[in-house]
Amino acid sequence: MAVVSESSRKALLPSFLYAAPAYSSSSSSSYTSFAAEAAVGVRGVPAPSLARPAVWANSPSEPAGKIEMYSPAFYAACTAGGIASCGLTHMTVTPLDLVKCNMQIDPAKYKSISSGFGVLLKEQGTRGFFRGWVPTLLGYSAQGACKFGFYEFFKKYYSDIAGPEYAAKYKTLIYLAGSASAEVIADIALCPMEAVKVRVQTQPGFARGLSDGLPKFVKAEGYAGLYKGIIPLWGRQIPYTMMKFASFETVVEMIYKYAIPAPKSECSKPLQLGVSFAGGYIAGVFCAIVSHPADNLVSFLNNAKGATVGDAVNKLGMWGLFTRGLPLRIVMIGTLTGAQWGIYDAFKVMVGLPTTGGVAPTPAAGEVQLKA
């Protein structure tokens, strides 16, 4: 256990955003006094002096001597975890993504999921199922690094701005704001590779992959063309990511609260990672639904040179914009998101950090004392 200075104490993120530290009976009273002091201080009432210094104990998920929370090493670890979770998972589901993109672009030829796989197998062989895997791996690795790394940063940043009381009261808004801010940056990293990926996957003969596809794309549309789809991409990814993080945090908290009888700190690491996967899968279903219209727009715009959003709406129609390729995308995104959270939290556990989410807001001890 380590004594926390006043400056360090103020920098700590509200405890409900991460796994709560486990306290000994001797240190819990100090923590309660500190919570009361913080709550009273917010209201402008002189805070009572502590009988002894507040002490924080390392929980089982936060081994001593590993990585200090919210340090540069912490954000580096989250960034690395994001690379592993997003890059690998998106590359793995390349066959599903390939069929989905072609169903969106040429529904007359790719009429269903099963027939889509049949057409690809007949025309391109088994190797065709992984066409475009390199831009997929590189693009979504860059996106994952920014998405998870900046989410952790903005979540703490907005919590510090709000202060302990409002951070606890409006935690879902903090999840939404933090994830949206992170995704704006993440999509700038993803957009060029996404443009090349869609062109390679939906135009047979255009290129074999990234090495020849990127120069051809730039020659045809210039470097600015790589960001032609940035607005639809933001339209797809920002709602997707807001739903992904906010619903995940909420679902995981509910699982620990209603479905698991033991506190999170007493659960085994495999069980915690299982909860992360389950929460991620459920979140992924919601993500797919809210972001699907923009996903159709991204595929349409990156496939056709000079195409506009109006062209996409006229050709697909509003119903097609919301439903074309949706069942496959629900399966793909649900699995993808569940796997991403599982890998991300497994990486955090591996380096000595707690898994994400699962702790409800701590009762406002100071508020109770004031009412008394």
Side-chain angles (χ1 to χ4, degrees):
M1 297 194 298
V3 178
V4 179
S5 66
E6 184 68 24
S7 59
S8 298
R9 183 188 304 162
K10 290 180 180 178
L12 290 171
L13 190 64
S15 61
F16 70 86
L17 293 176
Y18 286 95
Y23 297 95
S24 65
S25 58
S26 62
S27 62
S28 60
S29 61
S30 295
Y31 172 73
T32 303
S33 298
F34 165 64
E37 181 189 37
V40 174
V42 167
R43 291 162 176 78
V45 180
S49 60
L50 295 177
R52 57 182 179 271
V55 178
W56 290 81
N58 290 304
S59 73
S61 58
E62 300 177 76
K66 290 291 179 115
I67 295 178
E68 181 183 352
M69 295 292 287
Y70 322 120
S71 65
F74 166 77
Y75 292 116
C78 294
T79 299
I83 292 173
S85 67
C86 290
L88 294 177
T89 51
H90 275 277
M91 184 188 69
T92 302
V93 299
T94 296
L96 287 173
D97 189 39
L98 189 60
V99 173
K100 184 264 299 179
C101 287
N102 280 284
M103 287 177 66
Q104 294 170 329
I105 298 303
D106 193 356
K109 183 177 182 180
Y110 298 87
K111 298 179 180 179
S112 66
I113 297 172
S114 57
S115 67
F117 277 109
V119 170
L120 284 175
L121 182 63
K122 181 179 179 180
E123 293 186 351
Q124 303 177 33
T126 55
R127 293 184 62 182
F129 287 131
F130 280 91
R131 193 169 74 249
W133 72 270
V134 175
T136 298
L137 175 62
L138 295 180
Y140 283 94
S141 292
Q143 186 214 35
C146 298
K147 184 198 296 278
F148 283 92
F150 280 107
Y151 172 67
E152 300 287 1
F153 170 80
F154 282 117
K155 185 165 69 170
K156 182 181 188 305
Y157 178 73
Y158 293 142
S159 295
D160 289 344
I161 291 176
E165 182 180 7
Y166 288 108
K169 186 176 181 180
Y170 301 109
K171 63 183 187 296
T172 301
L173 291 179
I174 288 176
Y175 301 149
L176 292 171
S179 57
S181 300
E183 191 60 38
V184 169
I185 300 171
D187 288 345
I188 294 174
L190 168 64
C191 196
M193 293 296 101
E194 179 76 358
V196 175
K197 174 189 80 75
V198 172
R199 187 67 60 88
V200 169
Q201 290 180 337
T202 59
Q203 290 188 9
F206 172 75
R208 292 171 299 173
L210 177 65
S211 59
D212 57 337
L214 180 59
K216 283 186 177 181
F217 193 105
V218 172
K219 184 177 180 180
E221 302 196 30
Y223 286 101
L226 293 171
Y227 283 93
K228 179 177 66 175
I230 187 64
I231 301 300
L233 187 62
W234 276 332
R236 181 188 79 183
Q237 289 298 129
I238 292 176
Y240 165 90
T241 301
M242 292 171 72
M243 182 66 73
K244 174 180 180 176
F245 284 89
S247 61
F248 171 82
E249 300 260 17
T250 302
V251 168
V252 167
E253 182 179 316
M254 293 177 67
I255 290 175
Y256 282 113
K257 186 176 181 180
Y258 298 109
I260 298 178
K264 178 182 176 181
S265 59
E266 297 178 9
C267 295
S268 65
K269 287 297 184 292
L271 177 58
Q272 291 186 30
L273 294 177
V275 170
S276 294
F277 176 82
Y281 196 98
I282 295 171
V285 173
F286 294 121
C287 292
I289 294 171
V290 301
S291 63
H292 193 66
D295 183 64
N296 273 318
L297 287 177
V298 170
S299 296
F300 188 92
L301 292 176
N302 284 327
N303 175 69
K305 181 178 179 180
T308 65
V309 173
D311 295 333
V313 174
N314 290 333
K315 182 172 182 179
L316 300 176
M318 290 303 296
W319 177 253
L321 203 61
F322 279 84
T323 61
R324 183 171 293 174
L326 180 59
L328 178 57
R329 191 158 184 265
I330 286 176
V331 174
M332 185 182 82
I333 296 300
T335 305
L336 196 72
T337 307
Q340 284 178 355
W341 278 112
I343 293 172
Y344 179 66
D345 276 349
F347 185 87
K348 289 175 72 176
V349 168
M350 183 181 71
V351 299
L353 292 170
T355 57
T356 310
V359 180
T362 304
E367 203 170 288
V368 174
Q369 290 184 11
L370 282 177
K371 290 180 179 179

